[in-house]
Structure formats: structure tokens, C-alpha cells
Amino acid sequence: MKPKTLEVIESGAMKPIIIVHGGAGDISESRIQGKFDGVKVAVRAGYEKLMNGGSALDSVEAAVVSMELDENFNAGYGSVLNLNGEVEMEASIMWGQDLISGAVTLIKEFQHPISIARKVLTDTPHSFLGGNGAKLFALEKGFQQVPPESLISESAKEALNDFLNKGDDQRTEIGRKDEGGVGTVGAVAIDADGHIAVATSTGGINGKMVGRIGDTPLIGGGTYADDNVGGISTTGHGESILKYCLAHTIIKLMEGGLDADTATRQAVNGMTARLNNTAGAITLSKNGDVGIHFSSKRMAWAYVKNDKVYYGIEHDQTLEEPL
């Protein structure tokens, strides 16, 4: 799709914007409506934060929290399962003003990994907590544990059973390969002060080994934000994304002069050509240019501009409806 540039409000400040994605992969026809509904709810939740004076961090967290509650996505409730039938989630969030970030991995008993990641960003001198340390930190910060089974959807159980019975060696973060199920979620926002934030959250890869960590919590792989350039959230084949440093690759291409759309397209296609696996990304430049591209069959996305919600899931598709 061609880049679209934000309007500038009369004061000279940038009009806030948020864009979200709900995962790239072989999404089946039966899953499309659920994806559309979920990304539109999420982008409205994030946009409401921006319109009420919230920061870009508030906005991306709210959008991702919304999708962590929706079984149409591979984040929070509905996350895919590891070989032991457990949910092990991860998330990251980054603030572009001074490049600070927070990330968590191997989260099992909490509904919203993205909110724990934000607390790592704001309340610690660190960038990344994992496993039992992340659990202890979350409890210290007042996050409530939930029964592990309460995070497991029927679709996630079926996806793991398919994997175990069929021996599918093409594990992806989208869930059931034949059904084209759930997918990693992410959001990128620019607030009225021109600050950029990015958040990404996932349950990982269906049938993964216990303790596997993917690209989502890795700054530069699944998430990157820099007020001087832009912000990116990625989705797709995690091992390939982390090897290619996909989010940071897009940032560097933009830093070199490419617009958001061209940089996103070039990097995603470059990763696929080099590593023979698919991915997708959503991008905002510091000027509000939008970039959306995926090398998979489909990727759900949505953003708000001019009091309308724009969304799509197919290649070269842009639908719209009133905000």
C-alpha cells in the first residue's frame, strides 16, 4: 500500500495516530471476521487513550491489552501452547524519546504480559526480565495471578493436538496451520507531543520447546521505537525475524532515507528471500507515514486517521468505516 501522511493540527503539533496488527500467516476465511473485529476494537481503545491526552505508551499498551483478552489472537488468552501443553508468553514495549524499553518472557500465570513489560520499562533499571524473576517482579507490582488453564483456549488445545498427531515441522506463531488461527499482536503510536511507542505481545510458536524465546521480546527484532525515525512492530516466523533483526532493519532503511512503506516492504521481502520464511510489519515514521507489508498470505491490521478506521487483511486491501 502507498504511504499515507498524517494531518497537522493548527497548533503545529502532530495529530496522534495508532496502528495495530493481529498477526501474519495463513489465516483462513473463517478467521477473518474475528480478526477484523479484534483489531478494530484494539485500535479504537488505543486511539481513545490518545484523544484523552494519554501518551503513546498508554495507547499501545491499551491496544495490546485489548487483544490479549481476545482468543482470535496469539497473546494472553488464546496463546498457543508448548510441547507440555502450557502457555509461555512474552512481550516488549519501547519508548522512542530516549530508547528505553521493557520486555518479559516465559510468563505463565498472568493475563497481560504487555503491562508487566511496561512496568519493567518504568520501574526498573533493566530492560528484560524472564521466567521466575519476571513472575516475582509482577507479583511485587501487584499483578494478579490467574490459573494457567484460564489462558488456554479450545483452539490452542486443538492446534497442539494437530501438531503432535501430524508432526507438522512448519511451526508458526499463527497457531493451527490448516485453520490459519491466531497470531502475535502489536501496536505503534505517535502522541500529540510527537513521541513514538511500540508494543508487541505473543504466545510464541505452536508446539515450541519448553523455554523457547522468540523475537517478540527482543528489541530490534519484534519491536523498535525511535522518535528521530519511527516505530515498528513485527509478526511472523520468530526465528527468522530475530536473525534478520527485522524491526531495526526497517528503522535503518528509514534512517537512510526510505519512506515507511518502502522500508517495510523491502525489509520484509528481504527477510523472506534470505531465510525462506514469512513475516509482516506495521510502521509509522516520525512524520506519520504509514507502512504495512507482509510476505505471508494474510495479516490483520487497522489504524485511525481523519476520524475513520482503516483496516485490512489481504494484500493491497484497505477498507474503512467511521470511527
Side-chain angles (χ1 to χ4, degrees), residues 143-162:
F143 289 95
Q144 298 298 309
Q145 287 180 273
V146 300
E149 61 272 15
S150 70
L151 298 171
I152 300 175
S153 68
E154 287 303 313
S155 179
K157 292 178 185 178
E158 292 168 3
L160 181 62
N161 286 334
D162 285 350

Side-chain angles (χ1 to χ4, degrees), residues 162-310:
D162 285 350
F163 171 76
L164 294 174
N165 292 330
K166 297 178 182 178
D168 184 357
D169 63 353
Q170 298 185 46
R171 288 172 283 185
T172 73
E173 54 89 45
I174 208 70
R176 299 181 70 183
K177 189 183 176 195
D178 59 337
E179 290 290 331
V182 294
T184 290
V185 305
V188 185
I190 301 175
D191 59 31
D193 294 321
H195 297 312
I196 300 170
V198 180
T200 313
S201 181
T202 192
I205 287 180
N206 180 44
K208 64 186 179 180
M209 294 175 63
V210 174
R212 178 262 185 186
I213 298 169
D215 67 292
T216 293
L218 302 183
I219 301 304
T223 298
Y224 205 82
D226 184 346
D227 280 8
N228 295 329
V229 186
I232 298 99
S233 176
T234 72
T235 170
H237 189 265
E239 272 65 19
S240 297
I241 291 172
L242 68 86
K243 291 173 188 175
Y244 206 73
C245 299
L246 183 57
H248 198 254
T249 297
I250 296 171
I251 280 283
K252 297 305 289 185
L253 290 171
M254 293 167 67
E255 198 172 43
L258 293 184
D259 63 77
D261 186 69
T262 303
T264 305
R265 185 179 301 272
Q266 185 170 313
V268 169
N269 290 345
M271 188 213 86
T272 296
R274 182 71 184 274
L275 298 171
N276 198 33
N277 284 302
T278 61
I282 53 172
T283 303
L284 288 179
S285 77
K286 65 179 181 179
N287 299 318
D289 294 332
V290 173
I292 301 167
H293 186 65
F294 46 99
S295 55
S296 56
K297 182 179 178 182
R298 294 184 171 110
M299 181 181 78
W301 58 268
Y303 69 90
V304 175
K305 181 184 176 186
N306 299 332
D307 297 322
K308 290 183 180 180
V309 176
Y310 296 88

